[in-house]
Amino acid sequence: VHFAAATKNIRIGTGVSLAAFYNPIRLAEEIGLLDVLSGGRVNWGAGSGFDPNEFRVFGINRDERYTRFRESVDIVLEAWRSDRFSYQGQYHQYHDVEVLPKPVQNPMPVWLAASSPEASIWSGENGFAIMQDPHTSMRGIESKREMYEHALKENGHEAGKRDIPVARLLAIADTDEQAKQIAIKGAEWTTSSYAKRPPSKHSEEVNPVERYVNDVILWGSPERVADVLQRYEEEYRLNYLLCSPLSNQSFHLFNEVVLPRLT
């Protein structure tokens, strides 16, 4: 709401609303109100969540995350589409409900977080737009995008030239070595907090910090980062970047030095 009041043109996105943790009626109202207050500048991003601690705190069975997420998204979209609606789901039941305010935008731009092959395929089967995660290599991102596009086409949805946001952790400094140290610290924090992964039984265990630094985090001097982004555009069709800077310097160098090199 603060950014909506302080700006006029910038779009405001949620990346992401963890829909499984919300009452979907309240979520529809809050996002609708934000769209009204911003004059129709909201992009709604929604995801299922994956952190076991979050599910424990909210008292939700983690095994139900996909079904709860999908039902909540279905209800939010129906609330925006309909003057009044009824819904009989596994977790929520509503009869003759009116949700206000409606978003200014019709339809509201909606992206669903697709960090797994299953989520990518399901989103494609249902024709949803997706955003891709900051925890996978660009090769993995492209693989899941191909699954998504195949599911779109197989189910009669237009693939076309869709904007597919890709989130990247970003570490930029005056030199490559300085940026790498920022990337290492970011990877250490990420892998020790919310992005823990159980070891695979089918492959050799890889040091998670090294994996993030070598394959996931976008790091380097401004010149190096600009070159890498241009390569990502050519090799992986990157057309929409969601930046997550790992330092204040990374934020400023990206805006002041990297972006001018890309335009």
Side-chain angles (χ1 to χ4, degrees), residues 39 47 89 98 117 136 142 146 163 169:
E98 181 181 27
T136 306
E142 176 66 10
E146 290 174 353
D163 285 333
L169 298 168

Side-chain angles (χ1 to χ4, degrees), residues 144-160:
K144 288 184 286 189
R145 178 171 178 163
E146 290 174 353
M147 296 177 191
Y148 167 68
E149 291 175 336
H150 179 75
L152 282 172
K153 295 173 184 176
E154 286 292 303
N155 289 273
H157 303 296
E158 178 64 37

